[in-house]
Every structure is written in C-alpha cells, then in structure tokens.
Amino acid sequence: EVGEMRIGCPGFRPCLVVLQVKLNRCDSNLYISMKLKAAAEIGICANHIRLPKTATEEEVLRGILAVNEDSAVHGLIVQLPLDSIHRINIQRVTQCIAPEKDVDGLNSVNAGKLARGDLTGCFIPCTPSGCMELIAQTGVNIAGKNAVVIGRSKIVGAPMHDLLLWNHATVTTCHTMTPDLPAQVIKADILVACAGKAELVKGEWLKKGAVVIDCGINHIPDRSRPSGARVVGDVDFPSALTRAAFITPVPGGVGPMTVAMLMENTVKSAKKFLKAFQPGKWPIVYTKINRQHPQPSDGEISQSCAVKPISSLSSEVGLLSSEVEAYGKSRGKVQLDVLKRTEALPNGKYVVVTGITPTLMGEGKTTTALGLAQALGAHLNMNAFACLRQPTHCNTVNVTGKDMFLFIIHRICLDRLNLLVASEIMAVLSLSSSLEDLQQRLSKIIVAQPQSREPVTVKDLGVAGMLNMILKDAIKPCLMQTVEGTPVFLHTNPLCDIAHGNSSILSDKIALKLVGPDGFVVTEAGWGADIGLEKFFNIKCRSSGLQPDVVVMVVTVRGLKMHGRVPSTQIANMPLQRGTNLQLLEVGCSHLRKQIENSRAYGLPVVLAVNTFSSDTGAELDMVCQQARLAGALDAVCCTHWSDGGAGAVALGMAVQSAAETPHSFNFLYSLEIPVQEKITVIAQKMYGAKDVVLSTKAMEKVTLFTGQGLGNLPVCIAKTPLSLSQDPEVMGIPRDFILSVEDILANAGAGFLCPLVHSVSLMCKLYNLPYYHIISHIYYIHIRIVMYGKLSWLYCGHF
C-alpha cells in the first residue's frame, strides 16, 4: 500500500512520530525500537522525539501541538508512561492529540466512536486491534461466543471489551478485584488477559479449547538470565498449554502484532490524507448562504450567518496555533513570526481593486473586493484572501478617555506646525514591514520644522520607544472572515487624501505566503484610480517590494451617468430611470476610459467589474462593457455579488484568473530620482489630466528645504479632493485645461513620502484640534496606565 501511494504521488511517504519523555525502562525503549524498525522496513518515515525528564506538561503539549500542525506527519503516538520529574495529566495529553493523527486511538473522539460502534470512522487502539487479528487467524467465529477480558485500562481492556461486543460476542470485563475470578474465566471461549499481573491466570482456570490472548508484559526474577529477570505474561503459559486450543506467547505474540497494527493505522491515516489532499489547496470549509427575498439589511445578514471559530479558520489557511492570538471566537491577531516561517515559500497572485472617481452614493469597491475573494475561494476552489482597510471611525465630539487614545493614534488633527502626526502614525503603521521598521519610521516623524534649522523629530522628543510599545500589538494584522467563511485581513486605515489610503503591507505579505503560488490575494485601493491606485503603486508597492498582477476597475452605471450629467452636489437627488439616458451614459463613459487609461499606465492587465443594480438595463450594461474593452480593458463582466455573494462574482473571478496568466511587466509612474516638482507634474498630467501645475512660493520654499534635507528622493502623496479629477469637487467627468495649484508641501519622513497640498484641501479635522503637548501628555498618561494596570485589551482586536 505504501508503494501504491508513492506511485500515485511520487515522493510521498507516510510519516509517524513517536513522542517520548526520556525513560530508563528497557521494555518501552525496546518497544519503540521495534516500531521504528518496522516503519523503516515498509517505507514509513518514522521520527522519534525525545523530551528530557525535566519536561513539563506544557512542554509535552507544545510538542504534540507542533506535530498536530505538521501536514507532513500522519500518525502520532505518545509513549506511555511519561517518565518526567513533573506531574503530567495523561488525560490532557491524550486529548491534545489530533483525532485524525491519533493512530493509537487514545483520544476521546476515537474512543467515543469505538464505544458507540463506529468501527470504520475511528482509529482502533493498536493492541486491541492486534488481538482481534490474532483471534481471526485462529478461524474461531467471535459471534455468539463468551468472551472474558481481564483488565479495564483505556489502552487495552476497555477498547478490547468494545471490539468484542461490536463483533457480537457476549463480553464480561473482569479485573484483579473481581471476586471468584476463576469462576468467570472458566466460562470464556475467548480470554484476553491484560491485567498487568505476572502469571495471574492458571491453566486450570481455563475452559478446554479456549482461545487465550495474553497481553501482559511482566518481569520476574530469574537468576539464570544475565539480566536477573525474564519476561512473562498474565497467563501461566506452561499450565495453559494443556487447556487452551490457541495461546499467544510472551514475548513474541501480541507485541509484534501491536506494532503491525500501528503501521496499518499510520498507512490508513496517510491514505485518508492523500485522498483529501490537493497540492497547494487549503482544507477549508466554506459557509453556504441562503438568499432571502426581500434582502435583509447587512447587519441582519451578518448576525444570521454561522461563524467559524478563529482557531478553525486559522488552521484552514495554514497558520499555526502559536501564530494567532484569539480575541473572542471569531477574530484574532496574527503574529509576525509567520513571515519568517514562510519566507522561502512563493507568493500568490496579487490583485488590486480600484474604481472610477467615486460619487456620493459609492461605487462598491469594498463589496467587489469581498465578492471577488468569495468567488475565487468558495466557488472556484482557489486559495483566496481579502486584505482591506478598517472602516473609519465615526465623527463625534463625545469622545471618552479610551476613545481619546484611539482618536490620537488614528485620526486626530494635531497642531504641530500644520502637520498631522496622527495621520502619519497610521501611514507608518500601514507601510511598516516589521517591528524594527516600525520603530525606525516612528523615530523619523517630523513634529516641527523651525525656519533654517534641523527638523524636530519624534526621536528628539524621546517618545519613539513608547509609541513603538503602544503599537507593538496594533501592527499585527487582524484575521476575520466573510459570510461565506473566506479569510480576511482587516488592518490599518490611513487616509486617502493626506496619506496613501491602503491597507497594511504586512497583511498583504502574510496573505500572499499563505495562499501559495496558485492562490489570490485581493486588496483595495482607496478612492478612484487617479488617487488611491496611484498611491498604491508609487508609495505602497515601493515600500513593500511587491508587484501586483491584475487591476480590477469597479464601476456603476449610475455613477457614470452622474459623471456625464450633473455637479456632485445634485447627485443625491438625481432620479435613476430604467432604460433612459444612453447618451448621458456614453458621455460618462469618457471618465471610465480615462480611469482605465490611468490603471493601464503601470503595465498591468485591467478587468472591469460592473457593480450592477436592479435599475440597470441590458443596453446600459452592454455599453459600459463595450466602452471598457475599447479603452483597453482585458475583459469586462457584470457582477451581482452584493445580492448573491461570491456566486455573483464567479465570472469576475474567472476573468481575473485569466488576466493573471497574461504576460505583463509592472512599472512605476515616475522615477524617485527626478525633482519633487517634476514628480507632482507627472502625476497631475498623467493621472488627473491637468494642463500644468503651479506651486506657491511657500511650496517652492518647502521643495528647496526638503531637497536640502535629503528628502527630495521620496515619492509624493498629493492631497486633493477625491471627488473629481480636478481640484474642484464640483467638476465631474473629464475636466479640461485646468491648472493644479499646490499651496504647501508637508514632509512625512516617517511614512516615507512628501505630501503636496492642493488648493482647497483642508487639514483641519472636524473632531479635535489639540496642541501637541496636550497629545503627548495623553499618550504618557495612557502609557503609565498600561504599565501599571495592564489595561491594553481594548487596543487590540483590529482598532488599527
């Protein structure tokens, strides 16, 4: 059977692990050597893990857990007894063994199945299984026979009783405390002795012609032996020979058969694994959704769905239990150590979802990203991960002490010479690739820029280490799931106007390793392709070193009509009429063509996803898809993921799969070596369609200052309205002959980009405008509370 498996899957070998706490007992060591030798003879890879006598229970459990999570191991046995100087709960140890690898049948899952007669759905303990095989070899039919088992251990006696019972014997279980034991034994057609007492059963106790299976291994003094002792069973062998029809010798009877059954169980486990195994595919269980009419609210849908435990989800996607910190039942923080473990693994396909310039009703990039991930995973059987930004916090002036801190780190506007520290901290968190990188970036944040003097940084204030301590858990991506059970990383939320507006680099990097070379990671760029996608490529991809494979452009018919007709202030009241305004739609498609052009500027294939509504007509949808293809989109498909979940984005998933296989060569929009003003001009002209760029005197002074400070080779992050290609949010469609006016430039040295501020952009946050020293005092106060009281729990669970 091992040979057959290797023919079907070259290089595959069943693998058995024997875990032992160091013993000086000769019998246990001999038994292990027999197992290892037998495994080698039939082609099973066998590993012997020896723990020292000083091993604690937790160390034993960690050893078992590591084997449980090793997909290359198919069988695990813990050699009992555990000879440690510390007290170890054997029940807890056996319960820790994964049932699917419990080839010794000691886990309560396997024991429970055996007890209720599910003999084909469990692993049967090796010694009882071997005893049954020995009985079968005698040719005696078990059904209807009287069977007596002497012994009640969970390893041999109890499962032996169950096996005989489910094979239709009438079974009596006895032990050393059973009164008048000979009277019970004399009734036995089949006797299994496993009491652990030397030569307990005498020949005269036996029924004439009985089948006797002796499982005992006992040492008695024998001066004739070099060791001073010899091994005997629980049955007095010489006297039993005169009564029994069949009897197993000790040693040499049950022992070798036990080893054979262990090998059989290991092969059985490996065959089961191989049957379910698909190279590179997650063993993930998806959740089926039932559509309801009328469709409930998003909240009702979310509440009605069955949620997998985070331990199950993390295991399905290849995360080890030690790599996930659970927060509640359905979410957890992922340790960054997973990147070291998976460093040598190839990345999966990288897909970025963008859109047209958004209207006030939204185009549905986030729902499309989630729908695409669900389609690729739950419906197309691909490993698929979605990596998204966290939702923005609500704007409210009623901020509690706890919310104050989140507000400080996440979104507040700091009065530090017109620089937004909080926004930059979020950008730093999003762009960091490790804890070390995070601390270095935090140290570089400029908090003040005196005239003709060196800038004042966070490092100068002496708070970089404290900020790093506060954010050491926030840097871990938050693992969650969609309603269909596909994995999602929800992590960080840098603003898309004064920052780059994309989820974290770390979540993307971890996800790309977990999905494998044939899997997909779907992430989202904020706002439209002119802003969010441009910053995704030129800022985020520069920091991460990752190169995307496909761009998905999201569009709605109603959004294009709005771009072809009215100022944005009238959008909310514009009626949507079925089957009308094809001319208007065609005008709006000019904006779509421009955004596709923007997306293609980086050398990647573009797939259009039309987020459809019930008000859309076939003629309208056909026009949009046709215009997209004429503009250079590789494919264009209509999607109904909002109402149908992943099933409504299967066509999109197939188009993305095909696009990822097309030859492409990624390139940046500009070189970091060109002057700052030229970078701004390249973006304005190529992405926005501006005629020219004008920098104010203040902005020109900043260019000179930052270039002199060695910051001139940073990418630029233009802060402008996201509601128009121009700097005027009222101008939709394709603005013509406009001049982009840059009023000022900020240096976000920690995040690693310069931020030109376009005329009309306001940096004032609607919530708070706190002086910098006030913020620092709040951070110090919270730092002290964390150190003194450990009140950090609310900081975790994806606030960042």
Side-chain angles (χ1 to χ4, degrees), residues 149-158 173-177 194-195:
V149 178
I150 306 177
R152 51 186 173 178
S153 73
K154 295 179 181 179
I155 299 175
V156 183
T173 297
C174 303
H175 44 80
T176 56
M177 300 297 291
C194 49

Side-chain angles (χ1 to χ4, degrees), residues 643-676:
S643 57
D644 298 329
V650 168
L652 175 61
M654 295 173 68
V656 167
Q657 283 182 274
S658 178
E661 299 301 324
T662 61
H664 55 270
S665 179
F666 173 70
N667 54 266
F668 295 111
L669 189 64
Y670 56 82
S671 168
L672 293 180
E673 304 305 317
I674 64 176
V676 174

Side-chain angles (χ1 to χ4, degrees), residues 58 85 105 134 253 270 272 275 280 290 306 317 404 526 530 621 636 686 708 728 755 765 770:
E58 292 304 318
I85 63 174
L134 288 168
K272 187 176 181 180
K275 184 177 180 180
N290 297 316
V317 301
M404 171 65 78
D530 56 312
L621 297 172
K686 291 189 176 181
D728 185 352
C755 187
C765 180
L770 300 178

Side-chain angles (χ1 to χ4, degrees), residues 98 163 619 625-626:
L163 279 173
C625 292
Q626 182 183 23

